[in-house]
Amino acid sequence: MAILGFGEQQAGYNIPVLNEREVRAAAGILLVLGLIAFMNAWLVGDFYWTRLMVTGFLIDFIIRVLINPRYAPSMIVGRFIVRHQAPDYVGAPQKRFAWAIGLVLALIMFYLVVLNQVVGPINILVCTTCLILLGFESVFGICLGCKLYQLFRRSTPQYCAGQSCETHTPQSVSLVQWLILASVSGLLFAMSHTLLKPTVMSAPATSTPQAHPTKDCTPPDWAVKMGHAEKWKLHNGC
C-alpha cells in the first residue's frame, strides 16, 4: 500500500473512502484531550498541556491531510478501538476538505499559543471552533466541514455519513417530545436561580500564581468588557 494517499479503494465504491467509525473514534479522542487541555488552561491558568495538545493536533492533521490518514496517530488509535466493528465507508474528498480546515486552525493555534504564547480572545475562539467541529463529528456523526464542501462545490458529495446526502424522509420529533424538552429545560433554569445557587470557593494559597514584580497586571480593555479580567490575571500569572 502506498504511503502517500488519501482514502482507500474499496469494492463497490467509485471514489476513495474512509471508515466513518474510525474517523469518529479519532475525533472523540482529540475532543477529550482538547477539553482537558482547554479546561486546564481556563481554570488554573496552566498552558503547558494546551501547547502540547496544539502541537500534537497540528502533527496529526499534517499527516492526515498531506501524507495519509491511516498513519495519523489519532486515526491509528481510532482504528484499533473500532477494529471489531463493521466498517461504514464514507467519501474521502469531503473529509479531506473538512480536515484541511482543521489543519488551518491548528496552524493558527500553533503560531499563537506555542510560538508566541499569546493569551487573548482569538485563542478562545479558535479553540472553541475546533472543539465544536470535533464534537459534532464524534458525538452526532455530523461533519460540518463536509457541509461547507457541499456548499462550495455546489454538488452533492458521495457516500456521506448516515446516508445524509441521499433524499429521504427525516425522522420527526413529536409535539410531546418538544414539550418534555421544554419542561425539563425550564425546570433546570428555575432551579439554577433558587436551589442550585453557586457556591464561591476560595482557592488554596499554594495554588495562587505569584505576580511578577515587573509585570503589568492591568487587564486590557477587551478582557474587562467581556468580564474576563480575573481570568486574564490568572492566565498571565498576576
Side-chain angles (χ1 to χ4, degrees):
M1 182 174 290
I3 295 178
L4 296 177
F6 195 93
E8 305 174 10
Q9 296 291 341
Q10 295 290 339
Y13 297 88
N14 57 5
I15 61 172
V17 292
L18 294 167
N19 182 3
E20 176 68 6
R21 302 186 192 281
E22 173 182 329
V23 170
R24 290 182 65 177
I29 293 168
L30 293 178
L31 175 63
V32 171
L33 295 177
L35 283 172
I36 293 174
F38 180 82
M39 296 309 296
N40 197 51
W42 179 261
L43 296 176
V44 300
D46 182 3
F47 284 83
Y48 170 79
W49 295 108
T50 303
R51 297 186 184 102
L52 188 63
M53 176 61 196
V54 168
T55 303
F57 189 88
L58 176 60
I59 294 173
D60 192 271
F61 270 72
I62 287 176
I63 297 174
R64 284 194 194 199
V65 178
L66 303 180
I67 301 177
N68 194 321
R70 67 183 291 111
Y71 301 120
S74 64
M75 294 289 288
I76 295 173
V77 178
R79 171 171 289 203
F80 176 78
I81 292 174
V82 301
R83 65 191 184 280
H84 295 302
Q85 300 179 18
D88 178 18
Y89 292 115
V90 297
Q94 58 263 36
K95 289 292 185 183
R96 189 169 200 173
F97 178 87
W99 291 350
I101 297 175
L103 176 57
V104 172
L105 294 175
L107 286 169
I108 294 173
M109 286 297 290
F110 185 79
Y111 175 79
L112 293 174
V113 177
V114 179
L115 298 182
N116 294 285
Q117 300 188 16
V118 175
V119 177
I122 185 64
N123 300 37
I124 301 175
L125 177 62
V126 176
C127 187
T128 302
T129 301
C130 290
L131 293 177
I132 290 174
L133 293 174
L134 291 171
F136 269 80
E137 179 88 79
S138 61
V139 178
F140 304 117
I142 298 176
C143 175
L144 296 179
C146 300
K147 301 294 184 182
L148 291 177
Y149 173 86
Q150 182 176 349
L151 179 64
F152 288 126
R153 286 292 298 269
R154 298 188 181 278
S155 61
T156 302
Q158 301 182 60
Y159 314 121
C160 297
Q163 300 179 347
S164 59
C165 298
E166 302 176 8
T167 302
H168 60 275
T169 303
Q171 291 184 324
S172 61
V173 180
S174 68
L175 177 61
V176 174
Q177 290 174 303
W178 283 118
L179 290 175
I180 292 175
L181 175 61
S183 299
V184 174
S185 300
L187 176 63
L188 292 175
F189 179 79
M191 291 179 65
S192 67
H193 288 75
T194 54
L195 300 178
L196 303 179
K197 294 182 178 179
T199 302
V200 179
M201 300 179 65
S202 58
T206 55
S207 64
T208 303
Q210 298 297 319
H212 195 280
T214 61
K215 181 179 292 186
D216 182 7
C217 288
T218 304
D221 291 339
W222 62 262
V224 175
K225 290 179 180 178
M226 65 184 294
H228 190 69
E230 294 304 317
K231 285 293 183 183
W232 183 91
K233 291 181 182 179
L234 174 64
H235 293 169
N236 287 273
C238 295

